[in-house]
Amino acid sequence: MNYKIALIPGDGIGPEIVKEAVKVLDKAGEKYGFTLEYEKLLMGGASIDVHGIPLTDETIAAAKASDAVLMGSIGGDARTSPWYKLEPSKRPEAGLLKIRKELNLFANLRPAYLYEELKEACPLRDDIIGDGFDMMIMRELTGGLYFGERKTVEENGIRKAIDTLTYDENEIRRIAKRGFDIARKRRKKVTSVDKANVLDSSRLWRAVVEEVAKDYPDVELSHMLVDNCAMQLVRDPKQFDVILTENMFGDILSDEASMVTGSIGMLSSASLNETKFGLYEPSHGSAPDIAGMDIANPIATILSAAMMLRFSLDLDEAADAIENAVKQVLKDGYRTGDIMSEGCKKVGCREMGDLIAQRV
Ligand code: NAD
């Protein structure tokens, strides 16, 4: 089988880590009998430099025509990069929000998994970690506060800013279904997180999630208030399987969950639409502070590529092989600087890619 992959290396460490992911994907292709045809696209700062805007219509069309999109990361150092002298709608991050909207990527998946070998990097106590944890945060990505109407006005000499948080039942239903579907492939537990004691949007969220749950009697549903969830993530992360939540809560909770796993360089993510199509990228940013130094950790991007094989191309066996290769490399004691610990062998971005590809 041959698949078309839109490749968006992006800015900062993006090109370096995407190169390693491609190396590993091609090795998996050789072994499992598929080929990937890549089309490189510009987005973020790289697109601003060439086209003056972070995302062109041509890039959107090319992404839509592919089977899946694999992305590095976009953005620069806001204090020094000229990209941030542009008006907000022309900055790198605007490209990211626009592509999510254009591709209708409403479901964001972020696994938070504690590797046995990286336990030391976890800031939690051993008795809290126990046998480790393995959760999936399912965040609504195209609605809520980040996409609502907003304005800043001045009334009687006082500046006032207004943001609006809106959800309709269809937006909630489609993400809830996705959440329950994913839970079915895991430990069959959904924790829906909201602020139903205060917000109307959360009360509707809870009601619709309850309705959807009726179609999934084999999946256990519970509700949790977002403030409690923030606490539970550090008190007892083992209790979670799938956390289902709206855009802003998911933004914050998924970063908290990543911190609990210890390293941002290990965390993959997927953003999906109603079909099999998705955009896959590491959870971290473009790390401009270490760009071009061959020290970035490519594992988050490599694991995102594995998610792409699983969710968009149905190549589960190859996805498993990549995930196992990552585990094996860690077992063999290889580490990039960000996850380095005593007694391990320190390697750069390129070498880490080679080592994983060899083990696929
Ligand atoms: P960041 O994630 O880029 O970096 C935070 C810290 O983690 C830095 O010290 C960096 O060196 C380190 N780090 C990140 N990824 C690493 C990796 N793979 N290996 C080793 N170390 C790694 O976050 P930031 O500094 O807040 O943001 C930098 C830029 O990235 C900004 O322009 C921001 O807007 C952008 N950003 C983009 C995305 C995206 O493309 N989805 C997400 C977050 C931030």
Side-chain angles (χ1 to χ4, degrees), residues 13 71 73-76 84 93 96 264-265 281 283-290 296-297 338:
I13 58 170
M71 200 177 100
S73 188
I74 54 116
Y84 295 89
E93 288 71 13
L96 193 58
I264 192 153
E281 56 174 325
S283 298
H284 57 73
S286 58
D289 53 331
I290 58 166
N297 185 349
D338 56 316

Side-chain angles (χ1 to χ4, degrees), residues 289-335:
D289 53 331
I290 58 166
M293 295 163 74
D294 191 34
I295 57 172
N297 185 349
I299 294 181
T301 316
I302 291 170
L303 291 172
S304 304
M307 283 176 99
M308 175 179 86
L309 298 184
R310 175 167 289 118
F311 292 123
S312 285
L313 311 181
D314 281 327
L315 295 165
D316 289 52
E317 229 187 326
D320 288 345
I322 293 178
E323 287 165 1
N324 289 332
V326 168
K327 281 185 194 151
Q328 193 56 50
V329 158
L330 296 176
K331 266 204 187 93
D332 293 343
Y334 295 103
R335 305 280 189 273

